[in-house]
mmCIF file of all heavy atoms in Angstrom:
data_model
loop_
_atom_site.group_PDB
_atom_site.id
_atom_site.type_symbol
_atom_site.label_atom_id
_atom_site.label_comp_id
_atom_site.label_asym_id
_atom_site.label_seq_id
_atom_site.Cartn_x
_atom_site.Cartn_y
_atom_site.Cartn_z
ATOM 1 N N ILE A 1158 -117.173 11.903 25.560
ATOM 2 C CA ILE A 1158 -118.551 11.602 25.152
ATOM 3 C C ILE A 1158 -119.590 12.336 26.002
ATOM 4 O O ILE A 1158 -120.593 12.804 25.462
ATOM 5 C CB ILE A 1158 -118.801 10.082 25.168
ATOM 6 C CG1 ILE A 1158 -117.796 9.364 24.262
ATOM 7 C CG2 ILE A 1158 -120.226 9.762 24.753
ATOM 8 C CD1 ILE A 1158 -117.824 9.811 22.831
ATOM 9 N N PRO A 1159 -119.426 12.450 27.308
ATOM 10 C CA PRO A 1159 -120.462 13.141 28.103
ATOM 11 C C PRO A 1159 -120.666 14.599 27.713
ATOM 12 O O PRO A 1159 -121.666 15.209 28.104
ATOM 13 C CB PRO A 1159 -119.917 13.039 29.540
ATOM 14 C CG PRO A 1159 -119.077 11.825 29.519
ATOM 15 C CD PRO A 1159 -118.417 11.836 28.163
ATOM 16 N N SER A 1160 -119.760 15.165 26.929
ATOM 17 C CA SER A 1160 -119.900 16.577 26.551
ATOM 18 C C SER A 1160 -120.836 16.783 25.369
ATOM 19 O O SER A 1160 -121.074 17.920 24.959
ATOM 20 C CB SER A 1160 -118.526 17.173 26.214
ATOM 21 O OG SER A 1160 -118.012 16.602 25.030
ATOM 22 N N ILE A 1161 -121.371 15.710 24.791
ATOM 23 C CA ILE A 1161 -122.285 15.835 23.661
ATOM 24 C C ILE A 1161 -123.640 15.239 24.022
ATOM 25 O O ILE A 1161 -123.728 14.323 24.823
ATOM 26 C CB ILE A 1161 -121.725 15.172 22.382
ATOM 27 C CG1 ILE A 1161 -121.527 13.667 22.589
ATOM 28 C CG2 ILE A 1161 -120.429 15.823 21.965
ATOM 29 C CD1 ILE A 1161 -121.102 12.938 21.327
ATOM 30 N N ASN A 1162 -124.708 15.784 23.425
ATOM 31 C CA ASN A 1162 -126.034 15.255 23.727
ATOM 32 C C ASN A 1162 -126.868 14.964 22.487
ATOM 33 O O ASN A 1162 -128.005 14.537 22.595
ATOM 34 C CB ASN A 1162 -126.799 16.190 24.670
ATOM 35 C CG ASN A 1162 -127.086 17.534 24.037
ATOM 36 O OD1 ASN A 1162 -126.601 17.841 22.955
ATOM 37 N ND2 ASN A 1162 -127.872 18.337 24.713
ATOM 38 N N THR A 1163 -126.334 15.235 21.310
ATOM 39 C CA THR A 1163 -127.015 14.853 20.072
ATOM 40 C C THR A 1163 -125.984 14.348 19.081
ATOM 41 O O THR A 1163 -124.816 14.784 19.095
ATOM 42 C CB THR A 1163 -127.771 16.023 19.410
ATOM 43 O OG1 THR A 1163 -126.820 17.005 18.976
ATOM 44 C CG2 THR A 1163 -128.756 16.653 20.358
ATOM 45 N N MET A 1164 -126.429 13.448 18.225
ATOM 46 C CA MET A 1164 -125.599 13.037 17.091
ATOM 47 C C MET A 1164 -126.496 12.932 15.885
ATOM 48 O O MET A 1164 -127.670 12.559 16.000
ATOM 49 C CB MET A 1164 -124.897 11.718 17.368
ATOM 50 C CG MET A 1164 -123.762 11.842 18.381
ATOM 51 S SD MET A 1164 -122.778 10.338 18.540
ATOM 52 C CE MET A 1164 -121.910 10.296 16.972
ATOM 53 N N GLY A 1165 -125.953 13.275 14.744
ATOM 54 C CA GLY A 1165 -126.788 13.262 13.556
ATOM 55 C C GLY A 1165 -125.996 13.282 12.276
ATOM 56 O O GLY A 1165 -124.770 13.144 12.288
ATOM 57 N N TRP A 1166 -126.714 13.454 11.187
ATOM 58 C CA TRP A 1166 -126.138 13.415 9.855
ATOM 59 C C TRP A 1166 -126.609 14.619 9.041
ATOM 60 O O TRP A 1166 -127.780 15.014 9.110
ATOM 61 C CB TRP A 1166 -126.538 12.128 9.135
ATOM 62 C CG TRP A 1166 -125.998 10.908 9.779
ATOM 63 C CD1 TRP A 1166 -126.579 10.159 10.748
ATOM 64 C CD2 TRP A 1166 -124.740 10.286 9.495
ATOM 65 N NE1 TRP A 1166 -125.764 9.107 11.092
ATOM 66 C CE2 TRP A 1166 -124.629 9.161 10.339
ATOM 67 C CE3 TRP A 1166 -123.690 10.557 8.604
ATOM 68 C CZ2 TRP A 1166 -123.516 8.314 10.319
ATOM 69 C CZ3 TRP A 1166 -122.593 9.718 8.583
ATOM 70 C CH2 TRP A 1166 -122.508 8.612 9.433
ATOM 71 N N TYR A 1167 -125.681 15.156 8.276
ATOM 72 C CA TYR A 1167 -125.942 16.230 7.329
ATOM 73 C C TYR A 1167 -125.345 15.802 5.998
ATOM 74 O O TYR A 1167 -124.511 14.902 5.928
ATOM 75 C CB TYR A 1167 -125.290 17.545 7.780
ATOM 76 C CG TYR A 1167 -125.927 18.163 8.996
ATOM 77 C CD1 TYR A 1167 -125.745 17.620 10.261
ATOM 78 C CD2 TYR A 1167 -126.707 19.311 8.886
ATOM 79 C CE1 TYR A 1167 -126.337 18.185 11.376
ATOM 80 C CE2 TYR A 1167 -127.297 19.901 9.999
ATOM 81 C CZ TYR A 1167 -127.102 19.319 11.244
ATOM 82 O OH TYR A 1167 -127.674 19.887 12.346
ATOM 83 N N ARG A 1168 -125.756 16.486 4.942
ATOM 84 C CA ARG A 1168 -125.158 16.240 3.634
ATOM 85 C C ARG A 1168 -125.043 17.547 2.874
ATOM 86 O O ARG A 1168 -125.484 18.582 3.335
ATOM 87 C CB ARG A 1168 -125.963 15.209 2.843
ATOM 88 C CG ARG A 1168 -127.397 15.618 2.532
ATOM 89 C CD ARG A 1168 -128.150 14.443 1.919
ATOM 90 N NE ARG A 1168 -129.507 14.838 1.535
ATOM 91 C CZ ARG A 1168 -130.457 13.981 1.138
ATOM 92 N NH1 ARG A 1168 -130.186 12.683 1.068
ATOM 93 N NH2 ARG A 1168 -131.646 14.421 0.802
ATOM 94 N N GLN A 1169 -124.445 17.483 1.707
ATOM 95 C CA GLN A 1169 -124.253 18.661 0.853
ATOM 96 C C GLN A 1169 -123.441 19.736 1.576
ATOM 97 O O GLN A 1169 -123.939 20.811 1.892
ATOM 98 C CB GLN A 1169 -125.588 19.263 0.391
ATOM 99 C CG GLN A 1169 -126.511 18.292 -0.287
ATOM 100 C CD GLN A 1169 -126.002 17.799 -1.630
ATOM 101 O OE1 GLN A 1169 -124.804 17.610 -1.843
ATOM 102 N NE2 GLN A 1169 -126.907 17.556 -2.546
ATOM 103 N N ASP A 1170 -122.177 19.427 1.806
ATOM 104 C CA ASP A 1170 -121.274 20.378 2.450
ATOM 105 C C ASP A 1170 -121.820 20.853 3.790
ATOM 106 O O ASP A 1170 -121.679 22.032 4.134
ATOM 107 C CB ASP A 1170 -121.022 21.585 1.536
ATOM 108 C CG ASP A 1170 -120.274 21.191 0.273
ATOM 109 O OD1 ASP A 1170 -119.428 20.288 0.360
ATOM 110 O OD2 ASP A 1170 -120.552 21.780 -0.777
ATOM 111 N N GLN A 1171 -122.447 19.966 4.514
ATOM 112 C CA GLN A 1171 -122.934 20.239 5.857
ATOM 113 C C GLN A 1171 -124.103 21.207 5.891
ATOM 114 O O GLN A 1171 -124.502 21.677 6.964
ATOM 115 C CB GLN A 1171 -121.801 20.763 6.753
ATOM 116 C CG GLN A 1171 -120.596 19.842 6.772
ATOM 117 C CD GLN A 1171 -119.398 20.455 7.478
ATOM 118 O OE1 GLN A 1171 -119.477 21.569 7.986
ATOM 119 N NE2 GLN A 1171 -118.304 19.725 7.539
ATOM 120 N N ARG A 1172 -124.693 21.494 4.743
ATOM 121 C CA ARG A 1172 -125.766 22.480 4.719
ATOM 122 C C ARG A 1172 -127.151 21.876 4.883
ATOM 123 O O ARG A 1172 -128.082 22.571 5.277
ATOM 124 C CB ARG A 1172 -125.706 23.263 3.411
ATOM 125 C CG ARG A 1172 -124.559 24.244 3.337
ATOM 126 C CD ARG A 1172 -124.757 25.195 2.179
ATOM 127 N NE ARG A 1172 -124.599 24.521 0.901
ATOM 128 C CZ ARG A 1172 -123.472 24.519 0.195
ATOM 129 N NH1 ARG A 1172 -122.415 25.129 0.666
ATOM 130 N NH2 ARG A 1172 -123.400 23.912 -0.966
ATOM 131 N N GLU A 1173 -127.321 20.614 4.544
ATOM 132 C CA GLU A 1173 -128.645 20.001 4.577
ATOM 133 C C GLU A 1173 -128.752 18.999 5.719
ATOM 134 O O GLU A 1173 -128.056 17.978 5.743
ATOM 135 C CB GLU A 1173 -128.937 19.298 3.249
ATOM 136 C CG GLU A 1173 -130.332 18.688 3.202
ATOM 137 C CD GLU A 1173 -130.611 17.956 1.898
ATOM 138 O OE1 GLU A 1173 -129.746 17.967 1.009
ATOM 139 O OE2 GLU A 1173 -131.699 17.365 1.773
ATOM 140 N N PHE A 1174 -129.660 19.275 6.626
ATOM 141 C CA PHE A 1174 -129.927 18.357 7.730
ATOM 142 C C PHE A 1174 -130.576 17.088 7.186
ATOM 143 O O PHE A 1174 -131.482 17.163 6.338
ATOM 144 C CB PHE A 1174 -130.823 19.037 8.753
ATOM 145 C CG PHE A 1174 -131.381 18.115 9.796
ATOM 146 C CD1 PHE A 1174 -130.599 17.708 10.859
ATOM 147 C CD2 PHE A 1174 -132.682 17.655 9.720
ATOM 148 C CE1 PHE A 1174 -131.099 16.857 11.832
ATOM 149 C CE2 PHE A 1174 -133.196 16.811 10.690
ATOM 150 C CZ PHE A 1174 -132.407 16.406 11.734
ATOM 151 N N VAL A 1175 -130.154 15.944 7.708
ATOM 152 C CA VAL A 1175 -130.740 14.665 7.300
ATOM 153 C C VAL A 1175 -131.511 14.044 8.466
ATOM 154 O O VAL A 1175 -132.702 13.760 8.350
ATOM 155 C CB VAL A 1175 -129.656 13.698 6.796
ATOM 156 C CG1 VAL A 1175 -130.264 12.339 6.468
ATOM 157 C CG2 VAL A 1175 -128.942 14.260 5.577
ATOM 158 N N ALA A 1176 -130.838 13.814 9.567
ATOM 159 C CA ALA A 1176 -131.482 13.181 10.726
ATOM 160 C C ALA A 1176 -130.604 13.387 11.948
ATOM 161 O O ALA A 1176 -129.393 13.571 11.821
ATOM 162 C CB ALA A 1176 -131.688 11.693 10.480
ATOM 163 N N ASN A 1177 -131.240 13.347 13.126
ATOM 164 C CA ASN A 1177 -130.442 13.314 14.345
ATOM 165 C C ASN A 1177 -131.159 12.526 15.422
ATOM 166 O O ASN A 1177 -132.343 12.183 15.292
ATOM 167 C CB ASN A 1177 -130.034 14.716 14.824
ATOM 168 C CG ASN A 1177 -131.194 15.535 15.355
ATOM 169 O OD1 ASN A 1177 -132.334 15.079 15.423
ATOM 170 N ND2 ASN A 1177 -130.902 16.758 15.753
ATOM 171 N N ILE A 1178 -130.401 12.217 16.466
ATOM 172 C CA ILE A 1178 -130.936 11.493 17.613
ATOM 173 C C ILE A 1178 -130.436 12.208 18.859
ATOM 174 O O ILE A 1178 -129.253 12.527 18.984
ATOM 175 C CB ILE A 1178 -130.538 10.006 17.576
ATOM 176 C CG1 ILE A 1178 -131.242 9.229 18.682
ATOM 177 C CG2 ILE A 1178 -129.025 9.818 17.616
ATOM 178 C CD1 ILE A 1178 -131.211 7.712 18.447
ATOM 179 N N ILE A 1179 -131.381 12.492 19.740
ATOM 180 C CA ILE A 1179 -131.091 13.263 20.943
ATOM 181 C C ILE A 1179 -131.006 12.307 22.128
ATOM 182 O O ILE A 1179 -131.668 11.260 22.128
ATOM 183 C CB ILE A 1179 -132.190 14.314 21.165
ATOM 184 C CG1 ILE A 1179 -132.276 15.232 19.937
ATOM 185 C CG2 ILE A 1179 -131.935 15.127 22.418
ATOM 186 C CD1 ILE A 1179 -133.474 16.151 19.947
ATOM 187 N N ALA A 1180 -130.198 12.664 23.115
ATOM 188 C CA ALA A 1180 -130.095 11.848 24.317
ATOM 189 C C ALA A 1180 -131.496 11.497 24.818
ATOM 190 O O ALA A 1180 -132.343 12.353 24.981
ATOM 191 C CB ALA A 1180 -129.322 12.608 25.393
ATOM 192 N N GLY A 1181 -131.721 10.209 25.025
ATOM 193 C CA GLY A 1181 -133.056 9.752 25.388
ATOM 194 C C GLY A 1181 -133.734 9.052 24.235
ATOM 195 O O GLY A 1181 -134.788 8.441 24.406
ATOM 196 N N GLY A 1182 -133.139 9.160 23.041
ATOM 197 C CA GLY A 1182 -133.626 8.399 21.904
ATOM 198 C C GLY A 1182 -134.599 9.106 20.986
ATOM 199 O O GLY A 1182 -135.141 8.490 20.065
ATOM 200 N N ILE A 1183 -134.834 10.396 21.196
ATOM 201 C CA ILE A 1183 -135.732 11.133 20.306
ATOM 202 C C ILE A 1183 -135.050 11.338 18.957
ATOM 203 O O ILE A 1183 -133.889 11.757 18.902
ATOM 204 C CB ILE A 1183 -136.107 12.481 20.925
ATOM 205 C CG1 ILE A 1183 -136.860 12.260 22.238
ATOM 206 C CG2 ILE A 1183 -136.951 13.300 19.958
ATOM 207 C CD1 ILE A 1183 -137.093 13.521 23.032
ATOM 208 N N THR A 1184 -135.775 11.035 17.889
ATOM 209 C CA THR A 1184 -135.207 11.149 16.549
ATOM 210 C C THR A 1184 -135.944 12.212 15.733
ATOM 211 O O THR A 1184 -137.133 12.463 15.940
ATOM 212 C CB THR A 1184 -135.269 9.816 15.796
ATOM 213 O OG1 THR A 1184 -136.634 9.384 15.739
ATOM 214 C CG2 THR A 1184 -134.450 8.753 16.505
ATOM 215 N N ASN A 1185 -135.206 12.817 14.819
ATOM 216 C CA ASN A 1185 -135.760 13.813 13.911
ATOM 217 C C ASN A 1185 -135.253 13.532 12.507
ATOM 218 O O ASN A 1185 -134.094 13.111 12.342
ATOM 219 C CB ASN A 1185 -135.331 15.222 14.326
ATOM 220 C CG ASN A 1185 -135.798 15.597 15.711
ATOM 221 O OD1 ASN A 1185 -136.970 15.846 15.942
ATOM 222 N ND2 ASN A 1185 -134.874 15.601 16.671
ATOM 223 N N TYR A 1186 -136.089 13.791 11.503
ATOM 224 C CA TYR A 1186 -135.722 13.520 10.122
ATOM 225 C C TYR A 1186 -136.124 14.684 9.222
ATOM 226 O O TYR A 1186 -137.153 15.334 9.452
ATOM 227 C CB TYR A 1186 -136.427 12.259 9.608
ATOM 228 C CG TYR A 1186 -136.038 10.995 10.326
ATOM 229 C CD1 TYR A 1186 -136.772 10.536 11.407
ATOM 230 C CD2 TYR A 1186 -134.930 10.266 9.910
ATOM 231 C CE1 TYR A 1186 -136.418 9.374 12.076
ATOM 232 C CE2 TYR A 1186 -134.565 9.096 10.564
ATOM 233 C CZ TYR A 1186 -135.311 8.662 11.643
ATOM 234 O OH TYR A 1186 -134.949 7.518 12.298
ATOM 235 N N ALA A 1187 -135.331 14.890 8.180
ATOM 236 C CA ALA A 1187 -135.751 15.795 7.129
ATOM 237 C C ALA A 1187 -136.912 15.160 6.373
ATOM 238 O O ALA A 1187 -136.991 13.936 6.247
ATOM 239 C CB ALA A 1187 -134.591 16.048 6.170
ATOM 240 N N ASP A 1188 -137.821 15.987 5.872
ATOM 241 C CA ASP A 1188 -138.978 15.461 5.144
ATOM 242 C C ASP A 1188 -138.559 14.612 3.952
ATOM 243 O O ASP A 1188 -139.227 13.639 3.595
ATOM 244 C CB ASP A 1188 -139.858 16.620 4.657
ATOM 245 C CG ASP A 1188 -140.621 17.281 5.792
ATOM 246 O OD1 ASP A 1188 -140.709 16.676 6.894
ATOM 247 O OD2 ASP A 1188 -141.111 18.407 5.602
ATOM 248 N N SER A 1189 -137.443 14.961 3.348
ATOM 249 C CA SER A 1189 -136.993 14.272 2.138
ATOM 250 C C SER A 1189 -136.557 12.829 2.390
ATOM 251 O O SER A 1189 -136.447 12.046 1.441
ATOM 252 C CB SER A 1189 -135.851 15.044 1.486
ATOM 253 O OG SER A 1189 -134.769 15.171 2.392
ATOM 254 N N VAL A 1190 -136.302 12.478 3.640
ATOM 255 C CA VAL A 1190 -135.819 11.122 3.934
ATOM 256 C C VAL A 1190 -136.764 10.341 4.846
ATOM 257 O O VAL A 1190 -136.539 9.149 5.095
ATOM 258 C CB VAL A 1190 -134.413 11.140 4.559
ATOM 259 C CG1 VAL A 1190 -133.450 11.931 3.681
ATOM 260 C CG2 VAL A 1190 -134.416 11.688 5.969
ATOM 261 N N LYS A 1191 -137.813 10.975 5.341
ATOM 262 C CA LYS A 1191 -138.741 10.287 6.232
ATOM 263 C C LYS A 1191 -139.325 9.056 5.568
ATOM 264 O O LYS A 1191 -139.727 9.088 4.400
ATOM 265 C CB LYS A 1191 -139.882 11.228 6.646
ATOM 266 C CG LYS A 1191 -139.546 12.158 7.782
ATOM 267 C CD LYS A 1191 -140.740 13.037 8.127
ATOM 268 C CE LYS A 1191 -140.382 14.025 9.222
ATOM 269 N NZ LYS A 1191 -141.497 14.962 9.496
ATOM 270 N N GLY A 1192 -139.361 7.951 6.302
ATOM 271 C CA GLY A 1192 -139.892 6.717 5.774
ATOM 272 C C GLY A 1192 -138.875 5.892 5.007
ATOM 273 O O GLY A 1192 -139.129 4.714 4.699
ATOM 274 N N ARG A 1193 -137.723 6.489 4.694
ATOM 275 C CA ARG A 1193 -136.677 5.760 3.962
ATOM 276 C C ARG A 1193 -135.415 5.575 4.801
ATOM 277 O O ARG A 1193 -134.734 4.559 4.683
ATOM 278 C CB ARG A 1193 -136.320 6.499 2.676
ATOM 279 C CG ARG A 1193 -137.477 6.682 1.717
ATOM 280 C CD ARG A 1193 -137.010 7.260 0.380
ATOM 281 N NE ARG A 1193 -136.419 8.577 0.508
ATOM 282 C CZ ARG A 1193 -135.181 8.877 0.111
ATOM 283 N NH1 ARG A 1193 -134.405 7.954 -0.431
ATOM 284 N NH2 ARG A 1193 -134.711 10.112 0.250
ATOM 285 N N PHE A 1194 -135.091 6.563 5.602
ATOM 286 C CA PHE A 1194 -133.882 6.508 6.416
ATOM 287 C C PHE A 1194 -134.260 6.294 7.883
ATOM 288 O O PHE A 1194 -135.279 6.806 8.349
ATOM 289 C CB PHE A 1194 -133.089 7.814 6.315
ATOM 290 C CG PHE A 1194 -132.457 8.088 4.984
ATOM 291 C CD1 PHE A 1194 -132.738 7.328 3.859
ATOM 292 C CD2 PHE A 1194 -131.562 9.145 4.848
ATOM 293 C CE1 PHE A 1194 -132.146 7.588 2.628
ATOM 294 C CE2 PHE A 1194 -130.964 9.440 3.641
ATOM 295 C CZ PHE A 1194 -131.264 8.650 2.529
ATOM 296 N N THR A 1195 -133.396 5.583 8.598
ATOM 297 C CA THR A 1195 -133.589 5.370 10.025
ATOM 298 C C THR A 1195 -132.283 5.611 10.755
ATOM 299 O O THR A 1195 -131.247 5.021 10.391
ATOM 300 C CB THR A 1195 -134.070 3.946 10.318
ATOM 301 O OG1 THR A 1195 -135.282 3.696 9.598
ATOM 302 C CG2 THR A 1195 -134.324 3.753 11.811
#
């Protein structure tokens, strides 16, 4: 586990970014899911 610093989700054969969370709790979202996904 210490060898990784982000975890996230993709869809559509791994081509479309959905969301991720970076060490420290910073989150990022694709515009298409903002406000709906957490």
